[in-house]
Amino acid sequence: MGSMHLGSLIDMVESGFGERVLMGDGDRTVTGTELGRIARAGAAQLDGYPALVHVGENHPLLPVALFAAAWAGVPFVPVNYRLEDHQLNALVARQPGALVLADEHTAPRVSAARTVQVLDDWLAALPGDPPPSEPPFDDDQVAIVLYTSGTTSEPKAALLRHRHLMAYLLGSVEFGGAGEDEAVLVSVPPYHVAGMANMLSNTFAGRRLVYLRSFEPHVWLDTVRRERITNAMVVPTMLSRIVDALGGEPADVPSLRSLSYGGAKVSERVLLDALRLFPNTGFVNAYGLTETASTIAVLGPEAHRAAVESDDPLVRRRLSSAGQVLPMVEIEIRDELDQPVPDGQPGIIFLRGEQISGEYATGSLLDDQGWFCTRDRGFLDDEGFLFIEGRADDTIIRGGENIAPAEIEEVLLRHPSVAEACVVGIPDEEWGQRLAAVVVLRPGHEATARELQDAVRVELRGSKTPETIEFRGSLPHTETGKLLRRIVQGELVAAHS
Amino acid sequence: MPLTVKPGTRLFSAVCSTEMIVVKAPGGELDLTIGGVAPVASAADRTGSGKVADGHGGGVAMGKRYVDDADSIEMLCTKAGDGVPALGGTPLELKEAKALPASD
């Protein structure tokens, strides 16, 4: 007995959302009935292609391409259009024979494929009446291939099969659960797992998708007001820019019911500001990885409220947690010897469940019992709230003590003058590694290294206090806001040796 | 009429507006009905005659899922209607699910 296939989602959308507008913009809107028709028409055009690659900006009808690939039973492969030409083509070349759909700026840059079409042209040329087809759906087919950002090595191709994605949807989203007036603003890029999850979950919920082609905080705020957006998802760097753009004034977005954030760690100061400036919006923190088919833990609006209002430091700190693990996902925190640790103790996060893929084109990383090692460190509190400490590879070992950089960065970020902070370990003859920090100050603010070191020493202890603190104008990030620690570390090691 | 279904199989009530999709099913032939009558494979196959049988009405709601006692079969309602699905003559029960906040 198998499970469902994303192709079934097309059947469901036609049945449940016939007249409901699901996507599109001023020029062209698409209802459930139309989505079914054009996705099938698109699928018929994919005959003979082993995959559908998309390389370009967000597009109001991009989900049509994903659903066409699903109906045709071929993988949808979104590629980062911001890569250099040779990197982009190296990824395209890993899908030989694929049909490549691109935006008009990117199409001329694609040299590694035989068939490249502009997405708008491809959509315009689809036949009005697709031939009837009932493809034999296999839930074990690969639905989406996502390339990891590959900051330290060659990008890896993570595979999400139909059964993983349907398990996520069936387990966490109610079909048709959105009201007819609901609309979601998508500003995460399509080649990120959050962009794919956005598309699928909101279509499944029956919530209209509105795309922001590229993020700018004032455009984001204007779009929320103009389109009467009810739901939005942002990465922390976007949230921080929105908060800055508001300049302390409340956001005035009466339609916005839910604002979710994830993809990287958010600073507590930005979050508290955001909660204050969006007083009528529910906040949701989502944690997940590409290999887990998106979200596996959620901190919902009530948990945010409870944490902010509590005097109990153990409840209060949940504001910086990833919330509780979804009911259909199992979690274990294990030590270096692979043994489960008691609640409250940090270790490596392991996950198991139907949505957990843990698979790359080179093979599956799931163990015999189906567990996936996330290589993220974290701990659970006594009510199951999950706290993420960062990548295990980023852990600093100073004099035999394991130190999570995130813990120190959090203290630095609480200082009113600090906008960004990065703590890394650099080789040290005496201690193995010693702590070094790089800090970006907020515009118009000042702080000394001594002052920041004292702040860490008071809150944590001497062994966790950075020996050096350097001030810079900016820090390197991925587009979704993940700090590129390896780059910072490399620069510091080079400077200190 | 015995039916073989699998995840993704769509079932249309022959006597009302109910439309279901199979989420989970045991193998082999099953005695499935919607509204007490054998379902059809598409909306076009509805004959327009007949009505929901006694004990098989009461309604299903879009997005809700329905299961049997043994949890062997699960169906999701994609279009609401009066007729309720049944296995072996016993109507399926609404599966209670905890609503999660929209995270993406």
Side-chain angles (χ1 to χ4, degrees), chain A residues 1-4 8 11-12 15-17 168 170-172 174-175 197 201-202 260 284 286 294-295 298, chain B residues 6-8 10 19 21-26 62-65 76-79 99-104:
Chain A
M1 130 97 217
S3 54
M4 285 175 88
S8 289
D11 287 331
M12 295 168 73
S15 168
F17 310 140
Y168 171 63
L170 288 164
S172 66
E174 185 179 341
F175 179 71
S201 319
N202 289 295
S260 80
V284 179
S294 170
T295 307
V298 171
Chain B
K6 58 181 187 184
R10 297 179 70 186
E19 296 183 16
I21 192 162
V22 175
V23 174
K24 166 174 136 174
M62 181 168 79
K64 299 296 177 201
R65 288 190 248 173
L76 188 155
C77 172
T78 58
K79 190 174 270 186
L100 294 165
S103 65
D104 44 29

Side-chain angles (χ1 to χ4, degrees), chain A residues 155-215:
Chain A
K156 287 184 288 184
L159 308 184
L160 299 177
R161 298 180 185 275
H162 287 267
R163 57 189 163 84
H164 301 127
L165 293 159
M166 282 308 292
Y168 171 63
L169 293 175
L170 288 164
S172 66
V173 189
E174 185 179 341
F175 179 71
E180 301 236 7
D181 63 325
E182 291 189 27
V184 59
L185 182 58
V186 183
S187 42
V188 287
Y191 49 83
H192 188 273
V193 66
M196 290 292 105
N198 243 272
M199 236 179 237
L200 293 171
S201 319
N202 289 295
T203 304
F204 195 82
R207 191 178 292 116
R208 182 168 62 98
L209 287 156
V210 178
Y211 281 97
L212 210 59
R213 288 195 187 213
S214 57
F215 178 82

Side-chain angles (χ1 to χ4, degrees), chain A residues 102-166:
Chain A
D103 61 28
E104 52 183 10
H105 300 292
T106 312
R109 298 172 51 210
V110 182
S111 55
R114 246 172 307 158
T115 322
V116 184
Q117 284 188 52
V118 173
L119 176 59
D120 275 314
D121 298 342
W122 183 77
L123 288 167
L126 293 180
D129 242 334
S133 62
E134 287 296 330
F137 290 147
D138 175 358
D139 67 290
D140 203 38
Q141 284 170 334
V142 175
I144 296 177
V145 178
L146 288 166
Y147 289 104
T148 58
S149 49
T151 51
T152 52
S153 56
E154 276 291 288
K156 287 184 288 184
L159 308 184
L160 299 177
R161 298 180 185 275
H162 287 267
R163 57 189 163 84
H164 301 127
L165 293 159
M166 282 308 292

Side-chain angles (χ1 to χ4, degrees), chain A residues 270-281:
Chain A
V270 168
L271 182 55
L272 287 171
D273 282 350
L275 287 164
R276 191 166 47 77
L277 299 175
F278 290 83
N280 303 314
T281 300

Side-chain angles (χ1 to χ4, degrees), chain A residues 263-318:
Chain A
K265 193 114 186 153
V266 69
S267 97
E268 194 178 287
R269 182 181 54 75
V270 168
L271 182 55
L272 287 171
D273 282 350
L275 287 164
R276 191 166 47 77
L277 299 175
F278 290 83
N280 303 314
T281 300
F283 280 67
V284 179
N285 182 13
Y287 164 75
L289 296 97
T290 303
E291 301 90 333
T292 61
S294 170
T295 307
I296 63 99
V298 171
L299 185 76
E302 278 160 43
H304 276 82
R305 219 166 290 131
V308 170
E309 288 169 2
S310 178
D311 297 325
D312 180 346
L314 292 180
V315 176
R316 170 99 192 172
R317 72 171 178 175
R318 288 182 188 149

